[in-house]
Amino acid sequence: MVEKDTAQQAQDLAKLTFREGMAQLDEIVQTLESGSLELEESLEKYALGVQLLAELQKRLGDAEQKVEVLMGELEDAPDDEVRDSTLQKA
């Protein structure tokens, strides 16, 4: 049953926006730092935080790749000022 809960949590994390995920991660960190939880609850929160962090890092990596692709497209765009030296007058 724990595996099902973990799978459901992972699915729920994927539905969060990046901002919501960051807010939830911040809340988890604050709760853990408060020291108000029992050991078992702390471990559950920590595990959830690790999952959430992995999901957010994956999204950041994906976004970074998209930006690099877009920047590459800009760099490859021909410049109006550059002449094509392969063209010759007929």
Side-chain angles (χ1 to χ4, degrees):
M1 175 131 185
V2 172
E3 289 179 23
K4 189 174 184 180
D5 291 339
T6 303
Q8 182 62 41
Q9 285 178 341
Q11 198 173 33
D12 291 343
L13 295 179
K15 292 179 183 177
L16 294 175
T17 65
F18 187 82
R19 188 177 301 230
E20 290 169 339
M22 287 296 295
Q24 187 172 348
L25 185 59
D26 187 47
E27 182 180 315
I28 289 170
V29 169
Q30 288 179 7
T31 302
L32 289 172
E33 287 179 343
S34 74
S36 62
L37 300 176
E38 294 295 324
L39 178 61
E40 296 78 13
E41 292 173 307
S42 292
L43 288 173
E44 287 176 15
K45 287 283 187 184
Y46 184 82
L48 181 60
V50 168
Q51 276 187 308
L52 185 54
L53 182 59
E55 174 68 23
L56 295 174
Q57 286 177 331
K58 179 185 174 298
R59 289 186 195 182
L60 277 176
D62 292 346
E64 186 177 69
Q65 282 183 330
K66 287 179 184 177
V67 168
E68 287 177 7
V69 167
L70 292 171
M71 292 302 294
E73 289 176 5
L74 284 177
E75 290 173 1
D76 292 340
D79 188 359
D80 288 340
E81 297 294 320
V82 177
R83 287 187 178 195
D84 188 352
S85 60
T86 61
L87 295 177
Q88 298 177 3
K89 290 184 179 180

